Amino acid sequence: MSPPNGADACQKKPAWEYTLYVPNEPRAVTVSRRTLRLILTMHGLIRLVDTAELLAAELVANAVRHTKGPAALRIRWSAGVLRIGSWDTDPEPPEPPGELGLLAEAEEGRGLALVRACADLWGWQPLSRDDNRGKYVWFELAAA
């Protein structure tokens, strides 16, 4: 029997999930990036670290910059797919991403364009629980 290739080995890893709650302050982005890098490294997902870290930092930065409340970074691995999302307290949908090529010189507005360009899949959903409202913006990266 031959050893499994990298994609098969990644898909057979057991599912796991982490959530990091962060305050609304600029340091939350750095804390989120470093925590994510450590989690992915410890789970052997080194190939996904750089892209995941870049895109997650964009989501957390948006949550911190455009809302007044706390935020959270959720990291989930299941069936060979890494899903990372950012929760915040603003129920309004994110601005639709522009074309990345047209935003090269822009001071802002590149975050979701990067997510759309680099992720395998992305989206958002409104959230409501116990009179608390907000949204969850997420992206997926496949291991293969």
Side-chain angles (χ1 to χ4, degrees):
M1 179 174 216
S2 63
N5 67 30
D8 289 341
C10 280
Q11 288 183 351
K12 292 180 182 178
K13 290 183 180 194
W16 48 261
E17 183 175 313
Y18 294 85
T19 302
L20 174 66
Y21 294 93
V22 294
N24 190 298
E25 68 167 13
R27 289 178 288 205
V29 177
T30 301
V31 170
S32 296
R33 286 178 73 143
R34 290 183 180 171
T35 303
L36 175 62
R37 179 171 284 275
L38 179 61
I39 290 168
L40 296 182
T41 300
M42 296 302 293
H43 282 281
L45 297 173
I46 305 298
R47 293 183 309 145
L48 299 177
V49 168
D50 291 337
T51 302
E53 186 179 24
L54 171 68
L55 302 184
E58 293 295 341
L59 296 187
V60 173
N62 283 347
V64 169
R65 184 174 186 191
H66 299 294
T67 68
K68 297 194 183 323
L73 179 69
R74 183 173 169 201
I75 306 141
R76 184 180 70 179
W77 171 262
S78 180
V81 175
L82 179 66
R83 178 178 274 207
I84 297 175
S86 177
W87 165 84
D88 65 49
T89 57
D90 183 3
E92 293 300 313
E95 289 291 323
E99 290 298 320
L100 190 56
L102 301 175
L103 297 169
E105 302 298 319
E107 290 291 319
E108 57 184 46
R110 293 184 303 250
L112 285 180
L114 277 170
V115 171
R116 183 176 66 188
C118 298
D120 295 313
L121 190 63
W122 81 278
W124 79 278
Q125 62 196 58
L127 298 176
S128 179
R129 183 190 298 170
D130 303 326
D131 293 327
N132 293 320
R133 298 181 60 193
K135 70 176 165 296
Y136 182 67
V137 183
W138 55 267
F139 66 87
E140 291 183 351
L141 299 172

